[in-house]
Amino acid sequence: MFGIIRPCRHRMSEGMAAAWLAHLCGLCLALRDGHGQFARVATNYDGLIVSVLVEAQSAPSDERRRTAGPCPLRGMRTAPVAMGEGARLAAAVSLVLASAKVRDHVEDADGPFARRPVAAAARTVARRWDRAGARTGAGLGFDTALLLDAVGRQSGIEAATGPGAPLLGVTEPTETATAAAFAHTAVLTGRPANRAALEEAGRLFGRLAHLLDAVEDLSENTRSGAWNPLTATGTDLAEARRLCDDALHGVRLALRDVEYADHAAGRLAHVLLVHELGRSVDRAFGTERCAHQGGGNPYQGSPYAPGGPGQSPYGPGPGPYGPGQPGGFPPPPEPPRRRGLLAGCLVYAGLCCTCRLCCTDHDDAWSGQRREAWCSSCDGCDGCGDCCDCCQCCGSCGDCDCCDCGCDC
């Protein structure tokens, strides 16, 4: 499971949390039904957004859900899950992007991928996923060659990137791939008027995904000497944060031009792509806070607030990583002890069977790093639990299209 949008279910109403889980499980089952059990490892939090966008632009219908059988990740409970063209498109996109992630690990020789047998097997899986994604995409009128071409250009762009090069030149392939996926949701639902806005939202979402991945991997990449776009271009984290905030603003503006046919699904899309995407940025830069704890400024008290003290360890100021320090980056932490491939798989299977992946915070089976629970973790939200942080986009709950609880936040 991977992705940058990991919403806290305590911030959602019960209906919205159920809808989010329905799309997540629908993507997982679409991968299983179309491509076999092993393909389910390509399930990711960001891929389900494609399914949500398709549903939001489609007329409401009872045929968009089916009841799935018990699953260990749901505590052996049945649940309604999303089905249809949205889930299949999300599966096709997820397979292609997962194959790109596998190739990236192979090229960087990360962990077990440094071993030749594992790398060879990973390349075989990546090629199989490329073909599978292409078949599913073709059935929906979506040419995954756009995604494959973008992914194929990434390594060449990285090889040609050096100090002083524009950081956004490195993120362009990811932007192109996500823009194509978002735009096709409008084609699939017969709403061509939404295509331009969704293409812009997808392009900026891809930029954010690439930048946040670089920020989160920075310490580990610095320790291991692996390639990272921030260090390669000489971009500090203050500039990376500015680019992320600009992209967030652009996503918000683009979504205002999208017309939804299903208001409930449209609210979920808004929550994921506006509020939760903003929290993903805060989480990556270490400035996350619960929006229900105090005013409407999501950056109040953070070093990025207007007029703030600038004491961030990653930005300018008198901190230990300010001017005069090489690169302006924090020293890498001591890495946790890593398990081998087989031992990690056994531990991972145990976490799945005991539902710890879904229900409790746990240590990563391979790296030992602390991970949040998939479905029920909370990052400190102590508000009413039934509304989102509307003040970030409209200034009040009454003017926001994502609140349905009726309370006064």
Side-chain angles (χ1 to χ4, degrees):
M1 188 74 69
F2 57 96
I4 62 173
I5 297 183
R6 301 188 290 272
C8 170
R9 293 180 64 184
H10 293 78
R11 282 194 295 260
M12 294 180 170
S13 66
E14 183 177 352
M16 192 172 291
W20 176 81
L21 188 60
H23 286 282
L24 181 65
C25 293
L27 170 57
C28 181
L29 293 177
L31 287 166
R32 182 201 67 181
D33 296 342
H35 310 289
Q37 287 285 355
F38 184 70
R40 299 173 82 174
V41 301
T43 304
N44 65 95
Y45 295 121
D46 296 344
L48 70 86
I49 293 175
V50 173
S51 179
V52 173
L53 288 174
V54 171
E55 182 171 281
Q57 297 173 84
S58 304
S61 171
D62 294 336
E63 298 179 357
R64 297 184 307 191
R65 293 285 188 274
R66 69 180 178 90
T67 301
C71 175
L73 299 183
R74 293 193 299 267
M76 298 307 296
R77 296 186 297 269
T78 61
V81 300
M83 57 181 292
E85 293 181 331
R88 290 167 56 206
L89 179 60
V93 173
S94 296
L95 281 173
V96 175
L97 296 184
S99 72
K101 196 173 186 70
V102 169
R103 286 193 181 90
D104 186 58
H105 284 307
V106 171
E107 291 177 2
D108 293 341
D110 293 335
F113 294 94
R115 301 174 183 176
R116 290 185 179 180
V118 175
R123 291 190 186 97
T124 300
V125 170
R127 288 193 295 268
R128 185 179 304 158
W129 283 352
D130 286 342
R131 293 192 296 267
R135 288 195 304 270
T136 300
L140 298 168
F142 180 60
D143 186 4
T144 59
L146 293 171
L147 276 63
L148 293 173
D149 174 71
V151 169
R153 288 187 289 108
Q154 186 69 52
S155 58
I157 290 175
E158 292 180 358
T161 299
L167 180 59
L168 297 187
V170 182
T171 65
E172 181 274 325
T174 307
E175 295 178 22
T176 299
T178 50
F182 275 45
H184 194 71
T185 64
V187 176
L188 200 61
T189 55
R191 293 187 173 271
N194 287 342
R195 181 169 184 172
L198 287 172
E199 187 172 19
E200 176 67 4
R203 183 180 66 82
L204 295 173
F205 178 84
R207 178 182 299 179
L208 277 166
H210 200 129
L211 291 176
L212 295 185
D213 184 62
V215 171
E216 291 177 344
D217 292 346
L218 180 60
S219 294
E220 175 63 21
N221 291 160
T222 303
R223 182 194 68 80
S224 63
W227 194 91
N228 186 288
L230 298 180
T231 53
T233 59
T235 304
D236 61 24
L237 289 182
E239 173 63 11
R241 178 62 190 247
R242 185 190 69 79
L243 292 173
C244 288
D245 287 342
D246 285 349
L248 277 174
H249 184 63
V251 170
R252 185 177 299 129
L253 292 178
L255 290 179
R256 290 180 180 177
D257 295 329
V258 178
E259 294 185 2
Y260 299 122
D262 186 325
H263 187 63
R267 286 201 304 268
L268 179 58
H270 177 87
V271 166
L272 295 177
L273 288 172
V274 174
H275 303 290
E276 294 301 336
L277 190 56
R279 291 186 178 102
S280 298
V281 174
D282 287 338
R283 182 167 56 245
F285 285 91
T287 58
E288 186 176 24
R289 62 186 295 274
C290 180
H292 291 95
Q293 297 173 353
N297 179 6
Y299 305 119
Q300 182 178 354
S302 83
Y304 299 100
Q311 300 298 315
S312 169
Y314 305 122
Y321 310 111
Q325 300 298 323
F329 299 121
E334 187 67 23
R337 182 175 177 271
R338 299 182 66 91
R339 290 188 178 92
L341 177 63
L342 180 59
C345 288
L346 292 174
V347 172
Y348 188 85
L351 291 172
C352 284
C353 293
T354 57
C355 299
R356 289 190 62 193
L357 287 176
C358 179
C359 303
T360 64
D361 291 350
H362 54 275
D363 294 333
D364 186 273
W366 287 278
S367 68
Q369 295 179 348
R370 195 64 177 169
R371 304 294 189 192
E372 295 180 355
W374 287 0
C375 300
S376 60
S377 63
C378 181
D379 58 8
C381 177
D382 62 353
C384 65
D386 291 326
C387 60
C388 60
D389 178 22
C390 299
C391 54
Q392 292 189 22
C393 65
C394 62
S396 68
C397 282
D399 297 329
C400 185
D401 63 358
C402 61
C403 280
D404 57 354
C405 62
C407 69
D408 181 10
C409 0

